[in-house]
Amino acid sequence: MNISNTLSKPLLACLPAYVRRKIIRGDLPDFQTDLDGVTFCRASSAEDYISCFRLLHDVYVEAGFIQPSTPPLRIIPHHSDLEAMVLMGCRTDDQGENMPIYTASLFPDNEQGLPMDTGFKRQVDVLRNQGRRLVEVGCLASHPLYRKGDKNIPMLGNRMILLHAMNTLQADDLVITVHPKYLKIYEDILLFEKIGQISSYAYVNNNPAVALRQDLHTWAQRLKKIYGKKPIEKNLHHFLFESGSICNDLPLGEEKKVVEKSYGYDMKHFVINSYLTDMQACLIPG
């Protein structure tokens, strides 16, 4: 089953919201917690970071979210933050090589702020003023060959994001900006709440964007209310919260040296610094 095909049916937009949601939620795929040859983890080596940033660049260029760059990597200033992490999904090919097919980044809120502050600072400040710890999900990309079909790749990515945000970063809320065409997936299926919308977002080449928020303290309860009585293979609550988990990372209270090693901090900065050096070289006449 292809969720995107279901959401794109013109009739859905004409139906009452409760009818549309019932159809969409009833047409979900069978969730799989393990896919042959596919692994999900945090990026930790220079090769990991380069492959994720290249995948992100290529997907965003294809979507019209950014202009092509040299070298072909999508790196944003917030990637340099100590707590920021890059997550990835890989498929092992016939030669035993890992090919990145999914990536997402998590950016905890701190004095540097969040990437979405460029377009939605007022909305984000409302949550900050409540004393909530925010983590932004950004830099999401799936390889074109694995973007269609039953959506198990992005759903497993969602589970990885949830576990890291809750267990490692101890977040109260996930926040994210998405293109309006993806809004129904986040609102109707994943139960995100819209907190803002703009028609032009400079961060993604002036495309429109919607800001969303997910309260991590109530998410499980709300998912269980909607999906709890469905068969286990279609139970999104069970899939995200009860179907097993990846290993927990080091808590934030560990000493800085240990945390830097855990998060691949040195490798990430090696890649970022190399990228900046290459960019500067491109600006110098040969």
Side-chain angles (χ1 to χ4, degrees):
M1 194 282 300
N2 190 325
I3 295 176
S4 296
N5 286 345
T6 300
L7 294 174
S8 65
K9 293 177 181 177
L11 177 62
L12 283 179
C14 303
L15 296 174
Y18 76 93
V19 176
R20 183 189 72 237
R21 290 169 185 153
K22 185 175 181 179
I23 292 174
I24 292 172
R25 293 165 182 168
D27 207 18
L28 288 175
D30 290 351
F31 298 116
Q32 300 178 44
T33 55
D34 295 297
L35 300 177
D36 290 340
V38 177
T39 57
F40 286 81
C41 61
R42 287 180 302 125
S44 58
S45 68
E47 291 77 12
D48 288 344
Y49 287 112
I50 290 171
S51 63
C52 288
F53 294 149
R54 180 176 293 128
L55 173 63
L56 186 63
H57 169 275
D58 294 347
V59 169
Y60 274 30
V61 168
E62 177 192 37
F65 293 161
I66 61 171
Q67 297 298 318
S69 66
T70 303
L73 304 175
R74 170 66 168 175
I75 300 174
I76 67 173
H78 289 77
H79 276 125
S80 64
D81 188 88
L82 169 63
E83 292 184 80
M85 61 174 65
V86 178
L87 308 177
M88 61 190 300
C90 294
R91 176 174 286 281
T92 305
D93 62 22
D94 295 338
Q95 286 72 44
E97 297 292 330
N98 286 330
M99 181 182 76
I101 59 176
Y102 173 91
T103 186
S105 296
L106 296 181
F107 305 105
D109 194 22
N110 52 32
E111 60 276 2
Q112 188 177 354
L114 295 173
M116 66 191 296
D117 281 329
T118 58
F120 299 98
K121 188 175 187 304
R122 179 176 59 84
Q123 292 88 340
V124 174
D125 279 345
V126 171
L127 298 173
R128 288 187 176 115
N129 292 338
Q130 297 172 15
R132 303 183 72 84
R133 177 164 170 79
L134 310 179
V135 172
E136 180 172 350
V137 184
C139 298
L140 278 155
S142 298
H143 192 285
L145 294 177
Y146 301 93
R147 195 178 304 149
K148 299 178 181 180
D150 63 12
K151 298 298 181 184
N152 267 297
I153 295 297
M155 280 299 185
L156 284 166
N158 288 334
R159 191 177 68 154
M160 178 171 57
I161 288 168
L162 164 67
L163 292 168
H164 278 299
M166 293 184 67
N167 297 339
T168 304
L169 299 174
Q170 301 171 345
D172 296 309
D173 295 90
L174 282 176
V175 291
I176 188 172
T177 60
V178 301
H179 193 282
K181 67 182 178 181
Y182 301 120
L183 183 58
K184 289 186 178 66
I185 292 177
Y186 284 90
E187 282 191 319
D188 291 354
I189 296 176
L190 295 171
L191 311 186
F192 275 71
E193 171 194 357
K194 183 165 69 174
I195 59 174
Q197 184 166 352
I198 54 179
S199 59
S200 180
Y201 191 29
Y203 222 70
V204 285
N205 207 22
N206 295 319
N207 278 272
V210 181
L212 301 163
R213 169 260 187 126
Q214 181 61 261
D215 184 337
L216 294 177
H217 297 291
T218 65
W219 196 11
Q221 179 183 355
R222 288 181 285 115
L223 283 172
K224 189 171 186 177
K225 181 177 180 180
I226 291 173
Y227 297 101
K229 294 183 179 180
K230 291 184 177 296
I232 194 168
E233 64 273 10
K234 293 184 181 295
N235 186 328
L236 186 55
H237 169 264
H238 179 272
F239 174 76
L240 289 177
F241 286 91
E242 297 179 348
S243 60
S245 66
I246 52 181
C247 296
N248 292 350
D249 291 313
L250 290 172
L252 298 179
E254 295 285 345
E255 293 190 11
K256 181 180 178 182
K257 185 176 179 180
V258 179
V259 174
E260 287 179 355
K261 182 179 179 182
S262 171
Y263 281 77
Y265 182 78
D266 291 337
M267 285 294 97
K268 183 170 60 176
H269 276 262
F270 169 77
V271 172
I272 293 173
N273 290 335
S274 298
Y275 168 79
L276 293 176
T277 301
D278 289 343
M279 288 292 288
Q280 291 169 354
C282 291
L283 298 176
I284 299 175

